[in-house]
Amino acid sequence: MAETEVLPDIEHVEKTDSQSDLAPAWLVICWNDPINLMTYVSHVFQAVFGWNRQKAEFHMLQVHRQGKSVLVRTTMEKAEHFVHELQKYTLHATMEREP
Amino acid sequence: MNLKRMGKRGFVFQLSGREKRILFETFKLYPLVPATHHRLSKAAGDQSEENQRLLEESLTEQRTANRQQLEALLNDPGRFKKSGSNYRLPLKASELEWLLQVFNDVRVGSWLALGEPDEDKPPAITPENFRYLVAMEVCGAFQSVILAVLGAPESAEGLE
């Protein structure tokens, strides 16, 4: 039998993911508001989530074309934090329990 | 308003006298979006009244802090220095970030005050709503300048 290989950093991340799978999952959703500039929405996603421009623009276009985009799936506490951060920028964001 | 130069200390914008007056008039409207406009959740069952109240309190506190910061900026003798027929406005990157929030609050608040018109259906202009129409467009213009500066720092380096 092969010895178990320990990879501390990766294991830590996997444990975190596994634990969050057990917790009630919440979705942070951004809804389309025709008044917000597309470049502004993309900028806010980068500022709040630390995303690169490509990912931020993908979600911004999803909001623009489909009316909404699920930005992250996370715990209730983190979802509240993200919704608050997005609303500080006057984006139309809510948190919804995952169906 | 345009970017005059940028460096380690931040950015220096240049405004005409007219732009400065419009900017000051626009800032008078802040904050414009009511805290009750924001909802934590669309599903009624997912949201306790207590959490909603906390969200509104937090947003109100944040806007009060932004308003104070805005007053300090407008009354700072180091800002809006006259340079020929124009004015120079030095700003740090962190100040650009909250100014974006201020501009978008006034832009969205103006849009709400105008009855949330569609882009292809502009509202009928009246003496009562005219200032909101102007504020909405002015904020969008200032936001675009700031976003261009924040989004393309490499291209502006040569300005210093």
Side-chain angles (χ1 to χ4, degrees):
Chain A
M1 183 183 287
E3 287 183 8
T4 305
E5 190 179 3
V6 179
L7 300 170
D9 289 339
I10 295 171
E11 189 172 329
H12 175 73
V13 171
E14 285 176 348
K15 269 187 177 176
T16 304
D17 284 346
S18 174
Q19 283 169 350
S20 68
D21 282 345
L22 298 173
W26 291 76
L27 306 176
V28 175
I29 301 174
C30 187
W31 304 84
N32 189 41
D33 258 345
I35 188 60
N36 288 313
L37 300 174
M38 292 166 80
T39 48
Y40 177 74
V41 176
S42 184
H43 171 82
V44 174
F45 289 168
Q46 290 176 74
V48 170
F49 297 105
W51 292 344
N52 60 31
R53 183 181 294 194
Q54 189 181 17
K55 183 171 182 180
E57 286 181 353
F58 170 82
H59 283 278
M60 176 274 292
L61 288 171
Q62 205 169 36
V63 172
H64 181 66
R65 290 169 181 161
Q66 298 176 24
K68 68 174 185 177
S69 178
V70 175
L71 304 179
V72 289
R73 174 184 178 275
T74 185
T75 61
M76 187 175 76
E77 289 76 15
K78 285 183 180 172
E80 282 178 351
H81 166 76
F82 285 132
V83 168
H84 182 225
E85 287 301 305
L86 292 165
Q87 292 185 348
K88 273 165 66 174
Y89 284 89
T90 339
L91 291 196
H92 187 179
T94 62
M95 54 187 278
E96 312 296 334
R97 197 188 294 269
E98 192 173 41
Chain B
M1 185 169 89
N2 55 54
L3 181 67
K4 191 70 181 169
R5 65 171 187 269
M6 64 178 289
K8 289 176 184 171
R9 290 183 186 175
F11 308 85
V12 178
F13 291 90
Q14 180 170 281
L15 299 90
S16 67
R18 186 167 171 268
E19 286 174 325
K20 177 176 172 275
R21 283 195 303 278
I22 291 172
L23 191 66
F24 274 59
E25 284 301 312
T26 303
F27 283 153
K28 282 181 187 173
L29 292 171
Y30 182 82
L32 198 54
V33 174
T36 51
H37 171 71
H38 294 287
R39 304 299 297 174
L40 201 53
S41 174
K42 280 182 181 281
D46 285 343
Q47 170 185 357
S48 75
E49 285 303 312
E50 176 66 6
N51 285 348
Q52 179 62 31
R53 188 182 60 78
L54 289 172
L55 172 76
E56 289 171 14
E57 276 182 12
S58 177
L59 287 171
T60 301
E61 281 174 18
Q62 179 248 333
R63 281 168 195 181
T64 302
N66 276 357
R67 180 72 238 176
Q68 289 168 347
Q69 201 170 351
L70 197 55
E71 291 293 338
L73 184 137
L74 297 177
N75 294 310
D76 183 349
R79 319 280 185 150
F80 300 104
K81 280 189 174 172
K82 196 112 171 66
S83 172
S85 59
N86 295 313
Y87 293 86
R88 296 275 172 91
L89 173 61
L91 291 167
K92 295 173 188 165
S94 58
E95 291 173 325
L96 293 183
E97 204 62 46
W98 69 258
L99 271 178
L100 276 177
Q101 294 179 8
V102 167
F103 281 126
N104 211 53
D105 179 279
V106 176
R107 183 169 162 81
V108 173
S110 297
W111 178 70
L112 293 172
L114 289 165
E116 305 180 25
D118 284 336
E119 207 170 1
D120 53 345
K121 287 183 185 173
I125 300 172
T126 66
E128 289 76 31
N129 73 12
F130 180 68
R131 66 175 178 154
Y132 295 119
L133 200 61
V134 172
M136 195 171 75
E137 297 304 324
V138 164
C139 287
F142 280 115
Q143 280 181 304
S144 295
V145 172
I146 293 175
L147 288 166
V149 168
L150 291 175
E154 302 85 2
S155 61
E157 276 178 358
L159 291 169
E160 191 170 26

PDB file of all heavy atoms in Angstrom, chain A residues 20 25 29-30 52 62 65 83 98:
ATOM      1  N   SER A  20     -17.621  23.757   3.492  1.00  0.00           N
ATOM      2  CA  SER A  20     -18.622  24.689   2.989  1.00  0.00           C
ATOM      3  C   SER A  20     -19.725  23.953   2.236  1.00  0.00           C
ATOM      4  O   SER A  20     -20.844  24.423   2.142  1.00  0.00           O
ATOM      5  CB  SER A  20     -17.993  25.757   2.093  1.00  0.00           C
ATOM      6  OG  SER A  20     -17.538  25.165   0.912  1.00  0.00           O
ATOM      7  N   ALA A  25     -25.848  26.637   1.466  1.00  0.00           N
ATOM      8  CA  ALA A  25     -25.176  27.426   0.440  1.00  0.00           C
ATOM      9  C   ALA A  25     -26.050  28.601   0.017  1.00  0.00           C
ATOM     10  O   ALA A  25     -27.256  28.465  -0.167  1.00  0.00           O
ATOM     11  CB  ALA A  25     -24.869  26.546  -0.752  1.00  0.00           C
ATOM     12  N   ILE A  29     -26.126  37.138  -6.073  1.00  0.00           N
ATOM     13  CA  ILE A  29     -26.606  37.408  -7.437  1.00  0.00           C
ATOM     14  C   ILE A  29     -26.583  38.903  -7.715  1.00  0.00           C
ATOM     15  O   ILE A  29     -26.991  39.706  -6.871  1.00  0.00           O
ATOM     16  CB  ILE A  29     -28.044  36.871  -7.626  1.00  0.00           C
ATOM     17  CG1 ILE A  29     -28.065  35.358  -7.372  1.00  0.00           C
ATOM     18  CG2 ILE A  29     -28.581  37.190  -9.013  1.00  0.00           C
ATOM     19  CD1 ILE A  29     -29.455  34.744  -7.393  1.00  0.00           C
ATOM     20  N   CYS A  30     -26.099  39.253  -8.882  1.00  0.00           N
ATOM     21  CA  CYS A  30     -26.182  40.641  -9.327  1.00  0.00           C
ATOM     22  C   CYS A  30     -27.239  40.719 -10.423  1.00  0.00           C
ATOM     23  O   CYS A  30     -27.224  39.921 -11.361  1.00  0.00           O
ATOM     24  CB  CYS A  30     -24.836  41.135  -9.856  1.00  0.00           C
ATOM     25  SG  CYS A  30     -24.845  42.907 -10.214  1.00  0.00           S
ATOM     26  N   ASN A  52      -9.850  38.922 -12.015  1.00  0.00           N
ATOM     27  CA  ASN A  52      -9.182  39.581 -13.134  1.00  0.00           C
ATOM     28  C   ASN A  52     -10.242  40.171 -14.065  1.00  0.00           C
ATOM     29  O   ASN A  52     -11.441  39.892 -13.930  1.00  0.00           O
ATOM     30  CB  ASN A  52      -8.242  38.621 -13.890  1.00  0.00           C
ATOM     31  CG  ASN A  52      -8.974  37.424 -14.473  1.00  0.00           C
ATOM     32  OD1 ASN A  52     -10.147  37.516 -14.846  1.00  0.00           O
ATOM     33  ND2 ASN A  52      -8.304  36.294 -14.536  1.00  0.00           N
ATOM     34  N   GLN A  62     -22.956  38.736 -18.537  1.00  0.00           N
ATOM     35  CA  GLN A  62     -24.064  37.836 -18.168  1.00  0.00           C
ATOM     36  C   GLN A  62     -25.207  38.644 -17.532  1.00  0.00           C
ATOM     37  O   GLN A  62     -26.382  38.422 -17.832  1.00  0.00           O
ATOM     38  CB  GLN A  62     -23.551  36.786 -17.184  1.00  0.00           C
ATOM     39  CG  GLN A  62     -24.355  35.516 -17.189  1.00  0.00           C
ATOM     40  CD  GLN A  62     -23.685  34.399 -16.411  1.00  0.00           C
ATOM     41  OE1 GLN A  62     -23.050  34.643 -15.385  1.00  0.00           O
ATOM     42  NE2 GLN A  62     -23.808  33.188 -16.890  1.00  0.00           N
ATOM     43  N   ARG A  65     -26.831  40.678 -20.447  1.00  0.00           N
ATOM     44  CA  ARG A  65     -27.572  39.935 -21.476  1.00  0.00           C
ATOM     45  C   ARG A  65     -28.672  39.048 -20.902  1.00  0.00           C
ATOM     46  O   ARG A  65     -29.712  38.851 -21.527  1.00  0.00           O
ATOM     47  CB  ARG A  65     -26.598  39.059 -22.282  1.00  0.00           C
ATOM     48  CG  ARG A  65     -25.676  39.882 -23.167  1.00  0.00           C
ATOM     49  CD  ARG A  65     -24.565  39.043 -23.745  1.00  0.00           C
ATOM     50  NE  ARG A  65     -23.666  39.846 -24.573  1.00  0.00           N
ATOM     51  CZ  ARG A  65     -22.440  39.491 -24.904  1.00  0.00           C
ATOM     52  NH1 ARG A  65     -21.953  38.330 -24.492  1.00  0.00           N
ATOM     53  NH2 ARG A  65     -21.688  40.265 -25.646  1.00  0.00           N
ATOM     54  N   VAL A  83     -22.798  41.029  -0.528  1.00  0.00           N
ATOM     55  CA  VAL A  83     -23.967  41.827  -0.932  1.00  0.00           C
ATOM     56  C   VAL A  83     -23.812  43.257  -0.427  1.00  0.00           C
ATOM     57  O   VAL A  83     -24.067  44.225  -1.148  1.00  0.00           O
ATOM     58  CB  VAL A  83     -25.278  41.196  -0.392  1.00  0.00           C
ATOM     59  CG1 VAL A  83     -26.448  42.151  -0.534  1.00  0.00           C
ATOM     60  CG2 VAL A  83     -25.584  39.911  -1.148  1.00  0.00           C
ATOM     61  N   GLU A  98     -29.505  28.639  -2.040  1.00  0.00           N
ATOM     62  CA  GLU A  98     -29.384  27.763  -3.218  1.00  0.00           C
ATOM     63  C   GLU A  98     -30.569  26.800  -3.253  1.00  0.00           C
ATOM     64  O   GLU A  98     -30.885  26.179  -2.244  1.00  0.00           O
ATOM     65  CB  GLU A  98     -28.090  26.979  -3.142  1.00  0.00           C
ATOM     66  CG  GLU A  98     -27.743  26.260  -4.432  1.00  0.00           C
ATOM     67  CD  GLU A  98     -26.378  25.626  -4.373  1.00  0.00           C
ATOM     68  OE1 GLU A  98     -26.028  25.065  -3.335  1.00  0.00           O
ATOM     69  OE2 GLU A  98     -25.665  25.699  -5.366  1.00  0.00           O
TER      70      GLU A  98
END
